[in-house]
Amino acid sequence: MAGHGWCCSCLLDQRNLGMSMRVERSTLDQVKKRFEVNKKKMEEKQKDYDFEERMKELREEEEKAKAYKKEKQREKKRRAEEDLTFEEDDEMAAVMGFSGFGSTKKNH
């Protein structure tokens, strides 16, 4: 009995507890039923996974769209502020008598 990979004391303990080390043989019908049950379980898990995964992807896409929209608004606002600043600089130059803020180098 020791040739099966169990020590003698373990084997004796299992026997004393009423455990049998023999495996019941399954019929072809039992095996088919077991495969069918396992297949159904896998399909249910796959459906749950697909639904959860899709919901997660949709949330991520919405977040990306919101971030993109915010960035576009910020860029538009920044451009508007830059345009306003350039207009103010041109007005200031005209009031001060300058035609523009060009180089100080004179061309002859």
Side-chain angles (χ1 to χ4, degrees):
M1 290 272 179
H4 294 284
W6 299 292
C7 66
C8 291
S9 63
C10 292
L11 207 68
L12 292 175
D13 289 342
Q14 290 172 351
R15 281 187 185 166
N16 289 335
L17 291 173
M19 299 175 79
S20 172
M21 298 309 292
R22 295 183 184 223
V23 179
E24 181 184 332
R25 295 207 33 124
S26 299
T27 64
L28 182 61
D29 289 336
Q30 290 173 330
V31 172
K32 287 181 179 179
K33 285 180 185 177
R34 181 56 112 182
F35 273 122
E36 191 175 311
V37 168
N38 287 338
K39 186 177 179 181
K40 286 181 182 179
K41 285 182 184 177
M42 290 296 288
E43 288 174 355
E44 288 177 13
K45 286 181 182 179
Q46 187 66 28
K47 286 179 186 177
D48 291 342
Y49 173 76
D50 288 343
F51 179 74
E52 292 298 322
E53 186 68 26
R54 185 65 184 143
M55 291 301 294
K56 183 180 177 183
E57 288 174 1
L58 287 174
R59 279 187 238 117
E60 289 174 359
E61 287 176 15
E62 287 177 3
E63 289 174 9
K64 286 180 185 178
K66 286 180 183 179
Y68 178 77
K69 188 175 179 181
K70 278 187 178 182
E71 185 60 33
K72 282 291 190 181
Q73 288 177 347
R74 288 180 189 151
E75 188 175 325
K76 186 177 180 181
K77 187 176 180 180
R78 183 181 51 82
R79 285 184 186 166
E81 289 174 356
E82 285 178 0
D83 289 343
L84 183 60
T85 304
F86 288 135
E87 289 175 10
E88 290 174 357
D89 289 344
D90 290 341
E91 290 175 11
M92 184 60 74
V95 169
M96 295 176 68
F98 299 118
S99 60
F101 290 110
S103 74
T104 58
K105 188 175 182 181
K106 294 183 180 181
N107 292 332
H108 286 102

